[in-house]
Amino acid sequence: MSTPTSTSSQPAQPPSQTDVDAPADQVTNPRWSQRWHRWRPIVIVLALLLLPVLITLWMTRTTSSTLLAIDNPKGPGTMAVAELLRHEGISVSKAGSISEARVASRRGATIAVVNAHRLSSEDKQALAQAGGDIVIIGARGGSDALAGLTDMTSKGTAAPASTTLAPQCADADARAAQGLAGAHASVSLQGDDDAVGCFPVGDDRYAYATDPLPSGATLRVLPDPGPVTNAHLAQEGHAAMAVRALGHHDHVLWLDGQHLENPTVWNSPSTPPWLPVLIFQLMVIAGVLAIVQGRRFGRIVSEDLPAVVRSTETTLARGSLYRQGSDRPRAAEALRSGTALRLGTTLGLPLGTPRRDMVDAVARASGIDPATVDSLLYGPPPTNDRALAALAVQLDQLESEVHSA
């Protein structure tokens, strides 16, 4: 008996380390495309949130050329004095409206007003009663820049720049400045017993003055704005005068009466400054989502109408709708307006011709009594189908009479 022979086979090879690690690599280290697919929504949202901020920062102007503006680095600007105040720890910002200035004044800010003659007396009275100090920068002679704030008046008396004006008063700010290089404007204290004048340029004419406000705060007037401008800030004691006059409180709000914005919800003090940017971001996100969702429906494909619908068919269909709805007044109105339009075109009458002129013109052209024409075109609506049909026939006959005339 023969012994069955077994087929020899190679012993099973143990799995290599590479084969063992391959599945683990696929699980723990996904491909770059898989990672991008997972993080793509977050990256897109962050980009959409960052883009409006970058656009806003890019479009925001850091300087201007406005006279006496705190962001104007040129000679007639006041950026230098603003930087000096900030160096002393005083914040300086621009006011967009009177209401914003009043709110800041009630909180103890100093309101620096330029072009005060462009403000109304009511606005200046409101600022005077708000509670904060006010500094008037520039009050040319003959203007009403001080009306509503003080009984002092602005004058045109001036002293040349080669003249050094001495304080000659007990005011601490003026004494710290020691001198001004002339003045192109002045104020008169006549009629105001509480005011204090410094740097006299003539008889009852001063280049700087102070006066108490009704709220208990202090009004300071620098009628010539030159000492606070970039071009003249380094002369004599101009820098000391400007910083001392404006720096009595921790915040200075610069109010330009010539460049006030119309009060809206966007420049209201109660509106957060980031709200417009947030709304713009939401609009951008909504637009992107609309585009993404719209692409799911595929491209817009133009398609020809399957059939041409004749105008008579639409007219009959509309009439059928009127009949089913028993809307006789609207059907009669459609008949009368169509007849009146065609008659007006035939008779050369413009659109919107008054009722009396239309009736007279149709009556003359057709020879029909005006009362009958008025009843046909403007009479009461029919009450039944027979009356509606009779009205249609009569209107058709009226048109025929006019065309045959």
Side-chain angles (χ1 to χ4, degrees), residues 169-186:
C169 67
D171 184 82
D173 299 336
R175 295 177 67 86
Q178 297 183 359
L180 296 181
H184 296 288
S186 60

Side-chain angles (χ1 to χ4, degrees), residues 313-325 331 388:
E313 294 183 15
T314 60
T315 303
L316 293 175
R318 181 175 298 179
S320 177
L321 290 175
Y322 287 151
R323 181 175 183 181
Q324 292 178 4
L388 179 62

Side-chain angles (χ1 to χ4, degrees), residues 69-222:
I70 58 175
D71 55 358
N72 184 359
K74 299 180 180 179
T78 57
M79 179 181 283
V81 70
E83 292 300 324
L84 287 177
L85 290 170
R86 293 187 180 106
H87 182 72
E88 297 295 328
I90 301 171
S91 63
V92 184
S93 60
K94 292 192 297 184
S97 63
I98 293 293
S99 60
E100 182 182 353
R102 291 176 59 185
V103 171
S105 181
R106 283 195 292 266
R107 296 174 179 174
T110 298
I111 309 301
V113 184
V114 298
N115 295 312
H117 62 282
R118 301 300 296 270
L119 301 178
S120 64
S121 297
E122 293 76 11
D123 290 337
K124 285 180 281 190
Q125 289 175 0
L127 288 175
Q129 298 172 359
D133 289 354
I134 300 176
V135 180
I136 301 297
I137 300 175
R140 298 293 184 182
S143 68
D144 57 350
L146 304 179
L149 292 171
T150 177
D151 293 332
M152 293 186 295
T153 55
S154 56
K155 300 295 181 178
T157 303
S162 58
T163 303
T164 301
L165 302 177
Q168 299 185 21
C169 67
D171 184 82
D173 299 336
R175 295 177 67 86
Q178 297 183 359
L180 296 181
H184 296 288
S186 60
V187 293
S188 171
L189 310 186
Q190 186 176 4
D192 194 335
D193 298 334
D194 298 327
V196 176
C198 301
F199 303 102
V201 296
D203 186 17
D204 190 33
R205 302 291 189 270
Y206 300 92
Y208 175 73
T210 63
D211 193 19
L213 293 171
S215 63
T218 303
L219 170 69
R220 298 176 177 86
V221 181
L222 196 63

Side-chain angles (χ1 to χ4, degrees), residues 229-255:
T229 59
N230 302 328
H232 303 287
L233 190 63
Q235 296 179 358
E236 298 295 339
H238 292 180
M241 184 76 256
V243 172
R244 291 290 296 259
L246 293 167
H248 283 266
H249 300 281
D250 294 334
H251 180 52
V252 174
L253 196 65
W254 207 266
L255 179 66

